[in-house]
Amino acid sequence: KFSESFGLMYLFGRGLYDSANYQVAAQPALLISGNAQLGGILQFVSNPFTDQLAESHELRFDGKLGRLTWRAGYYYSDVDDFGAAAWFTNRRPLRVDPTNSFVASGVPAGPNSLLSNFIDRIESPFATVSVPLSDAWTVDVEARYTKEQRRQILNTGVRFRAEFDDFTPRVNVRWKPREEWTVYASAARGAKSGGFNGATADIPTFEPEQNTTFEIGAKQTLWDRRLQLNYAVFATDWTDLQLSVPDTI
């Protein structure tokens, strides 16, 4: 914070995510003797397996001009995800090795392994300003522009690439007739980037989702602010709504 009217903030995030859910057919004979078709090896299959690295950076500038307050900033994120729908781990069966020791791991050969590398990069400048019109009325205006690049590379050599960009504004008007009451009305536009369907889908990619929301409501405090009641009515209009549905083959 450089002064009472200007400040700067930098946020950094980094995440490592590894997930594997190994399972084997619940047959005691396999656990003890292994699978004869695999040379007596006990095979655990992970469905799915993922190894993900994500980083994000955000720079914010905050300021005040008289009664007006503002914020401007820039957000960037990078996600690199390596995954497979069928990652196996081979171990010796209990009859051969009571410690169930590790033998090998990897991805089954062929397209059925669904081995893929997903890369997602987002750049997003944003700004917000709050303008008091009087002691009772305030207008908040927000806006964000987002550009997103997505890539997916399958082990079959197939590559998907898509770019999405969207502008998402929001306007909120607040009225505070008394200390314990705040009444507001807002309008906002939202967006969710498109992406890639599963390998067995007829359509490889899907379009971005967009929505427009209108909301009116109020907030009331009681008993020296020990209780707050919120009232709201809203309506949302979606375009190209994204839904997860089973892919029947």
Side-chain angles (χ1 to χ4, degrees), residues 149-160:
Q149 297 178 339
R150 289 186 165 188
R151 288 185 293 158
Q152 188 169 21
I153 306 170
L154 303 181
N155 68 322
T156 57
V158 176
R159 295 171 177 259
F160 299 105

Side-chain angles (χ1 to χ4, degrees), residues 34-204:
N35 192 330
Q37 296 178 352
L38 298 176
I41 293 296
L42 179 63
Q43 186 172 91
F44 294 82
V45 178
S46 169
N47 187 18
F49 160 85
T50 184
D51 186 357
Q52 182 184 105
L53 170 63
E55 287 189 356
S56 66
H57 307 263
E58 183 171 326
L59 185 63
R60 299 179 186 173
F61 299 91
D62 294 284
K64 186 175 183 180
L65 295 173
R67 299 179 62 190
L68 181 149
T69 58
W70 60 270
R71 169 177 287 178
Y74 177 81
Y75 172 82
Y76 174 84
S77 75
D78 191 341
V79 177
D80 195 334
D81 185 281
F82 172 82
W87 181 276
F88 69 85
T89 296
N90 288 343
R91 295 182 177 274
R92 291 188 175 90
L94 296 176
R95 188 177 66 177
V96 176
D97 184 354
T99 64
N100 201 216
S101 61
F102 171 84
V103 177
S105 66
V107 179
N112 291 332
S113 65
L114 302 182
L115 179 68
S116 67
N117 181 211
F118 175 74
I119 301 170
D120 182 68
R121 290 186 174 89
I122 298 176
E123 297 179 82
S124 181
F126 59 89
T128 179
V129 60
S130 180
V131 184
L133 303 179
S134 68
D135 291 339
W137 291 89
T138 303
V139 177
D140 305 311
V141 180
E142 306 171 10
R144 179 183 291 266
Y145 173 75
T146 303
K147 181 178 180 181
E148 185 168 2
Q149 297 178 339
R150 289 186 165 188
R151 288 185 293 158
Q152 188 169 21
I153 306 170
L154 303 181
N155 68 322
T156 57
V158 176
R159 295 171 177 259
F160 299 105
R161 182 184 178 92
E163 293 189 5
F164 308 96
D165 62 280
D166 223 307
F167 178 68
T168 50
R170 180 177 182 268
V171 178
N172 183 57
V173 179
R174 290 177 285 148
W175 176 46
K176 197 173 182 67
R178 298 197 302 271
E179 183 62 30
E180 66 271 14
W181 276 97
T182 299
V183 182
Y184 67 90
S186 68
R189 183 178 182 273
K192 183 179 180 181
S193 294
F196 311 112
N197 286 313
T200 59
D202 295 330
I203 302 175

